């Protein structure tokens, strides 16, 4: 089952009576949208072009009984083409401010809030100190989640050169991860094979040795510690120049944070500064983990040779959560209320995903295609109730027979 670069992808389980046997193996954990498999060949692997779809070798269109898989595939391609034309009209009629300016302004405002956050930590009073923790925590997640996510899709700018600069800044300096691994894991694997067993099935988010309450409520606190450790381990898979660049960016990011806590916030010891770093960097780790599992796991899963075309794959395997002011600001619309739109059109910015949302939702519903939506509390309860089925055991494969 070849990938775009010709390297074989190896499913982590085998199908037995419609289910996959064997528990998917945890490959690694990282920061914003960067958990996934290791890129074969490291930095030499070419990143998937936005909108790319695996070719016929993966069985696209082979989801209808004996009659007309080719005709069904052509029908689905026509649907995706029609939807793309509708969205393209909106994008072309939108200003630079709508396409990029709104999201850049949010990131810029986050930078401007940094001095206030560090100065609030100087206070000996509880309320200003907690305000500083909250400010720095929100800013950290805005830069590492929203910033690195947009940068990985080159959605911050229309310039490829500047896109690479922003990717290094947000992904490596702010998020302590290597760009090559991040773009491969998220853009090529997760987006190219959404909910395909053994590839983009989100199984790298699973820690089957933890019980439901530890995983859902305690383990997220370890994300700031696990991120650099996993990043260092993955550096073995990239060229030495990229590894050296990443190490320098990681060190610079951590040292700047530590230096500011000592010289601006007035912390007196190494351990107090490190504890504050851990507190601010894990402030929104719980919703970050939850959002990433709520929006894919528990939805239809597919075998690589029996997956539907792109429009069905994304409408079936992706879910939107309701809008939330804090998460919309820190994570971005494309990770919260417009996740379906983001998977269909991943190169669009958060603001543009929000703008095309009415068009996409109306079109999918008009064509009798799924448009999954659910509340945060509903998904949380679902995962607590069905944790063993969804997060410990390998998910069953969905057989879409007769899909039109």
């Amino acid at each position: 089952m070849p990938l775009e670069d010709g390297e074989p992808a190896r499913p982590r389980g085998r199908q037995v009576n419609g289910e996959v046997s064997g528990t998917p193996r945890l490959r690694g954990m990282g920061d914003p949208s960067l958990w996934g498999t290791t890129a074969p060949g490291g930095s030499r692997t070419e990143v998937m072009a936005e909108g790319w779809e695996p070719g016929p070798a993966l069985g696209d269109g082979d989801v209808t009984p004996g009659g007309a898989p080719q005709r069904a595939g052509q029908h689905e391609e026509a649907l995706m083409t029609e939807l793309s034309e509708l969205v393209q009209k909106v994008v072309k009629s939108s200003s630079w401010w709508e396409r990029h300016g709104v999201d850049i302004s949010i990131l810029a405002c986050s930078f401007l809030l940094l001095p206030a956050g560090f100065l609030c930590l100087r206070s000996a009073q509880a309320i200003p100190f907690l305000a500083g923790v909250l400010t720095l925590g929100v800013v950290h997640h805005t830069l590492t989640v929203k910033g690195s996510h947009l940068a990985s899709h080159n959605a911050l700018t229309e310039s490829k050169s500047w896109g690479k600069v922003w990717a290094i800044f947000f992904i490596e300096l702010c998020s302590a991860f290597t760009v090559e691994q991040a773009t491969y894991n998220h853009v090529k694997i997760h987006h190219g094979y959404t909910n395909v067993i053994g590839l983009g099935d989100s199984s790298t988010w699973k820690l089957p040795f933890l019980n439901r309450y530890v995983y859902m409520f305690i383990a997220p606190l370890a994300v700031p510690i696990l991120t650099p450790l996993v990043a260092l381990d993955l550096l073995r898979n990239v060229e030495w120049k990229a590894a050296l660049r990443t190490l320098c960016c990681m060190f610079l990011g951590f040292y700047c944070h530590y230096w500011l806590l000592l010289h601006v916030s007035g912390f007196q010891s190494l351990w107090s500064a490190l504890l504050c770093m851990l507190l601010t960097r894990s402030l929104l780790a719980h919703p970050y983990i939850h959002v990433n599992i709520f929006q894919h796991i528990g939805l239809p899963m597919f075998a690589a040779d029996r997956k539907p075309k792109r429009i069905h794959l994304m409408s079936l395997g992706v879910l939107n959560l309701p809008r939330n002011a804090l998460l919309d600001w820190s994570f971005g619309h494309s990770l919260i209320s417009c996740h379906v739109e983001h998977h269909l059109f991943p190169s669009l910015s958060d603001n543009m995903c929000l703008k095309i949302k009415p068009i996409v939702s109306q079109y999918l519903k008009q064509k009798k295609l799924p448009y999954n939506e659910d509340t945060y509390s509903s998904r949380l309860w679902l995962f607590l109730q069905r944790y063993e089925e969804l997060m410990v055991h390998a998910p069953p494969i969905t057989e879409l027979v007769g899909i039109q």
Side-chain angles (χ1 to χ4, degrees):
M1 185 173 57
L3 290 179
E4 187 183 52
D5 56 5
E7 193 72 19
R10 296 174 177 83
R12 278 163 275 193
R14 60 185 181 88
Q15 184 178 355
V16 180
N17 296 328
E19 296 188 355
V20 174
S21 63
T23 303
R25 181 164 61 89
L26 179 69
R27 294 287 186 89
M29 299 172 66
D31 217 342
S33 306
L34 309 180
W35 294 6
T37 57
T38 301
S43 61
R44 291 182 296 274
T45 303
E46 294 182 358
V47 178
M48 174 191 69
E50 299 291 356
W52 173 86
E53 183 181 3
L58 292 178
D60 276 352
D62 188 23
V63 293
T64 55
Q70 184 176 2
R71 186 171 62 233
Q74 291 174 347
H75 174 66
E76 291 177 334
E77 289 177 355
L79 291 177
M80 189 65 205
T81 300
E82 184 179 6
L83 177 58
S84 298
E85 291 174 352
L86 294 174
V87 170
Q88 190 63 24
K89 289 180 181 178
V90 177
V91 174
K92 288 182 177 180
S93 65
S94 300
S95 64
W96 176 89
W97 173 257
E98 293 174 305
R99 296 196 307 272
H100 304 292
V102 173
D103 294 295
I104 291 176
S105 297
I106 292 174
L107 295 171
C109 287
S110 296
F111 278 111
L112 294 176
L113 287 171
L114 282 174
F118 283 109
L119 289 173
C120 283
L121 294 181
R122 294 182 64 92
S123 176
Q125 299 180 0
I127 293 180
F129 183 84
L130 291 177
V133 172
L134 177 62
T135 300
L136 292 182
V138 172
V139 169
H140 170 76
H141 284 85
T142 303
L143 300 181
T144 59
V145 180
K146 180 184 177 71
S148 63
H149 185 232
L150 290 173
S152 70
H153 289 286
N154 198 33
L156 284 172
T157 176
E158 295 174 7
S159 167
K160 291 186 177 181
S161 299
W162 275 106
K164 292 179 180 179
V165 172
W166 290 125
I168 292 173
F169 177 80
F170 285 109
I171 298 175
E172 297 193 351
L173 193 144
C174 296
S175 303
F177 223 84
T178 178
V179 169
E180 287 77 10
Q181 290 289 314
T183 51
Y184 180 86
N185 294 340
H186 181 71
V187 179
K188 186 166 186 176
I189 298 298
H190 176 64
H191 274 269
Y193 302 91
T194 301
N195 280 23
V196 173
I197 297 293
L199 290 169
D201 60 1
S202 301
S203 58
T204 52
W205 289 94
K206 300 178 182 181
L207 297 172
F209 54 88
L210 297 179
N211 70 48
R212 66 197 68 201
Y213 298 106
V214 172
Y215 178 86
M216 300 295 286
F217 302 112
I218 299 177
L221 297 174
V223 168
I225 300 174
L226 291 173
T227 298
L229 296 178
V230 173
L232 290 173
D233 179 66
L234 292 177
L235 289 181
R236 297 176 303 171
N237 304 297
V238 301
E239 293 181 342
W240 70 270
K241 292 182 180 180
L244 181 61
R245 183 199 66 217
T246 301
L247 286 173
C248 292
C249 289
M250 288 173 62
F251 174 79
L252 182 60
F254 282 115
Y255 183 77
C256 287
H257 193 174
Y258 173 72
W259 189 91
L260 289 169
L261 288 174
L262 290 183
H263 295 86
V264 178
S265 301
F267 282 81
Q268 300 299 315
S269 68
L270 167 67
W271 294 109
S272 62
L274 292 178
L275 182 61
C276 185
M277 289 176 65
L278 177 63
L279 181 61
T280 56
R281 289 171 179 247
S282 63
L283 186 70
L284 297 179
H286 288 82
Y288 172 67
I289 295 291
H290 294 169
V291 164
N292 277 279
I293 63 175
F294 290 173
Q295 292 178 316
H296 295 287
I297 298 176
L299 297 173
M301 312 296 290
F302 309 96
D305 60 346
R306 297 282 293 173
K307 73 178 186 65
K309 282 285 187 178
R310 180 179 181 81
I311 192 167
H312 274 101
L313 186 66
M314 301 310 177
S315 64
L316 287 163
V318 187
L319 177 141
N320 285 345
L321 295 170
R323 293 195 63 178
N324 177 285
L326 177 60
L327 299 185
D328 285 347
W329 177 277
S330 302
F331 295 173
H333 300 298
S334 61
L335 290 179
I336 305 299
S337 61
C338 304
H339 205 51
V340 174
E341 289 75 14
H342 170 62
H343 267 259
L344 286 167
F345 304 99
S347 64
L348 297 183
S349 65
D350 289 331
N351 186 64
M352 283 306 302
C353 283
L354 185 63
K355 187 173 181 180
I356 68 168
K357 181 182 175 70
I359 295 173
V360 173
S361 61
Q362 181 181 0
Y363 183 85
L364 293 181
K365 293 173 182 177
Q366 177 186 351
K367 299 300 181 180
K368 301 296 188 292
L369 293 171
Y371 187 79
N372 298 308
E373 296 179 296
D374 202 359
T375 65
Y376 191 103
S377 58
S378 174
R379 298 298 287 179
L380 180 61
W381 179 249
L382 172 70
F383 274 74
L384 290 176
Q385 291 293 104
R386 299 171 55 190
Y387 181 80
E388 293 288 328
E389 173 188 349
L390 299 177
M391 300 298 292
V392 176
H393 303 299
I397 289 178
T398 298
E399 297 290 348
L400 293 177
V401 177
I403 189 170
Q404 299 295 329

